[in-house]
Amino acid sequence: MTAGLAGLAVGLTACGGSARTVDGPPRDGGTLRIVGSSDVPHLDTAAANSVGAYGLNRTYARTLLGTKASNDFNETLPVQADMAAEVPSRENGGISRDGRTYTLRLRDGVLWNTRPPRPVTAEDFVRGFKRLCNPAAPAPGRGYYTSTIRGMDAYCRGFAKVRADDAKAIADYQNTHDIDGIEAKDPHTLVFTLREPASDFLNLLALPYTAAAPKEYDAYVPDSPEFRQHTISNGPYQITSYRPGLSYVLTRNPVWRPETDPLRERHVERIQITLGQDSPAAVQQQLEQGTADLAWDQPVPTTAIPRLRARRDERFAIHRTPSNSPYLVFNTRSPNNRGALGKREVRQALQYAVDRTALIKIVGGPEVAEPLHTVIPPGNSGYAPADRYPTPGEAGDPARCRRMLADAGHPDGLTLKFPYRTNSVHKLIAESIRQNLAACGVRAELIPDTGGDFYAKTIATPEKTEAGDWDIAAPGWTPDWYGNNGRSIIQPLFDGRAYGPNTSNYGGYDNPEVNALIDAALTAPDPARAAGYWRRADEIIMEDAAIIPLLNRAHTVYRSARVRGAAFLPTAAGYDYTRIWLAD
């Protein structure tokens, strides 16, 4: 797997090398100005599931383990120590011989920015894990942990019965119920006991979900408006002002110490994030004119890419983030059209509708994206090239789509509700797919999401899914980590047992055979064996036509002339704010 990813990085990464080598020694001070469109669906680390939230969480919430930001894709793969003093291994005694017990000791000197400041303890991490399955804003990736850590599934099933709007009831459950497989042995030592050996458990400990949580969080409903106004930091920055949907201001955390943090730095004085700017062209103009420094959630406009490439603008970069972005997901539980999308034959017919060549043009051309026909993109564990529904020149086959729809009992086509994000190129993508479906005899009713609620209040809400408030949507999925990462795609998106509030299995897909393959992969004795199970799960999901994979898309980024030290975080699809410094 490592060799395969090395080849991927050499072939696809457009910029590399050390930012320090190019930019020289860092300089402290100034305000990093970031502009963009929508607020994050979830700010609370327990519930965060967007690339924007991952980048923001990194500034103020630390995990036991983590990964390094780098413009060399290979350097971002290894798991490294964050708040843990070292990465556990069999050699250092951190992993037991049977692979089921992990012991991690915390590094000294890490403090919460409370009044007065106090040390981050092992119990704070236990609290963080307990919050993953709170009933108000549960982690979309909670299945990673319930299927791996002993006793966590039972703990979470009990937690689901607690009132979601009652902060006291939530806190009481957390404080009176334990997870068998997680123990704070002492203030500095954590012990995890697994149900079965898991070759990717170190990766799971590096995810933002698992950040430590201070006891003050017990006073709020998780990720509620009140919670968002009272985040507490143990990282280099702290959120000092938050206006929902409008802006964030981050300032320096006075109790953060650089010698305690091997993954982050701190150079700028302030980070100002301004939201509500939906036009990629307007954002790009600000970056080029120097009135802003980075884009928050807008890639470089497609129309600007040829110009930037032609002049070899060193501020422009294409970073490969092997992903399924976007993909078309079917609401398999929708009652609309007499439950048509619950029928595999209907979903298979629609596989032939999409013109991927048009989508590639929309996002910037073949240097930026390639057509995708599998659930697992290239460069991820379990990938194998396949195209179960080929069309001439990747341009779709509407005639075949019509015939198959008629054979499936829908000769007059369908009418589908299609919500879409208004920022970036999402509107253009939605319009292109709408035209493709029209050629297939399917009417798509486009519903603009102007409130930034596309995920949190629309496709990730089971009540709206089952009521038929939407039929198809075009989300994206960047794996939560790279390397030994098979479960970071198949499990969150397609495990039917994890379907529920704040789900990433947006369409409610549930196939017992896929669920069994997930279990087999999670308990496989080595990554190679696990990859085989993930590959077979991919094949079955595509047979079921649960989604239409569209593009494996890279991320285009542009920075202002004064940004230095830019180091890329693939899972956050952006630069690490803590590493950036500003030139005069």
Side-chain angles (χ1 to χ4, degrees):
M1 189 60 201
T2 302
L5 286 166
L8 175 83
V10 170
L12 297 182
T13 300
C15 63
S18 167
R20 290 291 177 269
T21 302
V22 175
D23 296 335
R27 165 184 178 275
D28 291 350
T31 298
L32 177 65
R33 303 159 303 177
I34 303 170
V35 294
S37 174
S38 301
D39 206 341
V40 296
H42 298 283
L43 178 62
D44 190 335
T45 55
N49 64 337
S50 64
V51 292
Y54 286 177
L56 187 57
N57 291 160
R58 186 176 176 93
T59 66
Y60 72 89
R62 294 181 61 182
T63 48
L64 291 165
L65 305 175
T67 54
K68 178 182 178 182
S70 175
N71 296 324
D72 181 340
F73 184 76
N74 282 338
E75 290 183 356
T76 68
L77 299 180
V79 172
Q80 303 188 29
D82 186 350
M83 263 207 65
E86 61 182 349
V87 178
S89 65
R90 284 184 173 83
E91 290 72 23
N92 63 24
I95 303 177
S96 63
R97 289 187 178 182
D98 65 2
R100 297 188 186 210
T101 303
Y102 286 67
T103 303
L104 295 94
R105 185 165 180 82
L106 303 185
R107 65 177 72 242
D108 294 326
V110 182
L111 303 174
W112 293 115
N113 65 334
T114 50
R115 296 182 180 178
R118 66 172 188 273
V120 179
T121 67
E123 191 58 45
D124 293 327
F125 277 99
V126 173
R127 183 180 299 105
F129 275 88
K130 287 183 174 183
R131 297 179 76 251
L132 294 184
C133 47
N134 74 80
R142 60 193 178 277
Y144 295 151
Y145 307 95
T146 58
S147 60
T148 304
I149 297 173
R150 191 179 71 189
M152 189 158 183
D153 183 54
Y155 172 88
C156 290
R157 280 188 276 109
F159 210 167
K161 301 173 184 177
V162 175
R163 281 186 53 179
D165 60 351
D166 189 334
K168 183 178 184 304
I170 291 171
D172 286 347
Y173 183 88
Q174 288 177 181
N175 295 329
T176 59
H177 293 75
D178 293 324
I179 300 170
D180 290 346
I182 306 178
E183 177 191 3
K185 191 174 181 180
D186 60 50
H188 302 284
T189 309
L190 277 159
V191 179
F192 296 90
T193 305
L194 311 188
R195 297 167 58 175
E196 302 287 344
S199 62
D200 60 359
F201 188 62
L202 294 179
N203 299 97
L204 300 187
L205 295 181
L207 298 184
Y209 302 129
T210 65
K215 61 186 179 183
E216 286 82 358
Y217 284 1
D218 285 359
Y220 311 105
V221 172
D223 203 46
S224 63
E226 294 77 19
F227 172 92
R228 291 189 177 206
Q229 295 295 337
H230 295 90
T231 55
I232 292 175
S233 174
N234 58 14
Y237 292 94
Q238 57 191 5
I239 299 175
T240 51
S241 172
Y242 169 53
R243 295 188 298 158
L246 298 175
S247 66
Y248 292 86
V249 175
L250 288 81
T251 58
R252 293 183 172 190
N253 175 3
V255 299
W256 177 81
R257 303 172 184 173
E259 65 271 17
T260 71
D261 197 333
L263 297 179
R264 299 164 191 80
E265 299 175 12
R266 185 177 67 190
H267 301 298
V268 301
E269 190 73 28
R270 289 162 47 96
I271 301 173
Q272 170 76 49
I273 302 171
T274 304
L275 307 174
Q277 304 189 38
D278 288 344
S279 168
V283 170
Q284 181 67 21
Q285 184 179 39
Q286 293 179 63
L287 300 181
E288 294 193 43
Q289 291 178 344
T291 56
D293 298 306
L294 293 176
W296 166 248
D297 57 358
Q298 307 273 33
V300 176
T302 302
T303 54
I305 291 175
R307 170 174 58 84
L308 298 173
R309 290 179 67 87
R311 75 186 192 196
R312 298 183 180 180
D313 192 322
E314 64 179 11
R315 294 171 289 175
F316 169 69
I318 301 174
H319 287 282
R320 295 294 168 177
T321 52
S323 60
N324 201 333
S325 183
Y327 64 93
L328 197 70
V329 61
F330 295 112
N331 179 357
T332 65
R333 305 188 182 212
S334 172
N336 303 330
N337 303 284
R338 307 189 310 277
L341 293 182
K343 298 162 61 177
R344 180 169 69 172
E345 295 78 11
V346 170
R347 300 192 302 267
Q348 288 176 332
L350 297 178
Q351 296 281 336
Y352 292 97
V354 178
D355 179 356
R356 290 176 175 83
T357 63
L359 299 179
I360 290 173
K361 291 177 183 176
I362 288 171
V363 302
E367 296 90 352
V368 175
E370 62 183 2
L372 185 64
H373 303 281
T374 55
V375 171
I376 302 174
N380 293 276
S381 177
Y383 169 75
D387 186 358
R388 186 175 179 83
Y389 308 99
T391 65
E394 300 284 0
D397 190 341
R400 184 168 186 177
C401 175
R402 283 177 176 270
R403 289 196 305 271
M404 291 180 66
L405 273 181
D407 291 344
H410 296 274
D412 298 325
L414 307 166
T415 298
L416 304 177
K417 297 177 182 178
F418 187 176
Y420 68 91
R421 292 166 282 175
T422 55
N423 64 322
S424 186
V425 295
H426 298 303
K427 181 179 180 181
L428 297 176
I429 289 170
E431 289 175 341
S432 180
I433 293 172
R434 179 186 62 79
Q435 294 172 8
N436 295 161
L437 291 171
C440 183
V442 175
R443 181 170 178 263
E445 298 176 347
L446 295 184
I447 305 169
D449 169 43
T450 56
D453 296 329
F454 174 75
Y455 287 105
K457 296 183 180 178
T458 305
I459 66 172
T461 303
E463 291 83 1
K464 292 194 174 185
T465 298
E466 292 165 8
D469 284 10
W470 66 278
D471 294 300
I472 57 174
W477 188 258
T478 298
D480 284 327
W481 72 93
Y482 291 102
N484 179 21
N485 71 340
R487 83 156 95 191
S488 72
I489 300 170
I490 298 292
Q491 187 177 23
L493 296 184
F494 302 104
D495 189 336
R497 299 162 296 185
Y499 178 70
N502 201 24
T503 184
S504 295
N505 181 3
Y506 306 118
Y509 173 78
D510 189 11
N511 182 324
E513 189 175 359
V514 170
N515 297 343
L517 285 165
I518 291 171
D519 292 341
L522 297 181
T523 56
D526 56 70
R529 192 83 58 88
Y533 292 123
W534 297 127
R535 186 174 303 119
R536 178 57 186 151
D538 189 325
E539 293 170 353
I540 294 172
I541 294 164
M542 289 309 303
E543 288 171 12
D544 285 344
I547 67 168
I548 303 178
L550 297 174
L551 302 177
N552 174 25
R553 183 178 167 197
H555 197 75
T556 54
V557 287
Y558 190 87
R559 54 187 173 86
S560 76
R562 67 182 195 143
V563 170
R564 300 288 188 271
F568 195 72
L569 279 167
T571 53
Y575 293 125
D576 183 347
Y577 305 142
T578 74
R579 300 276 300 278
I580 287 173
W581 57 278
L582 303 172
D584 293 330

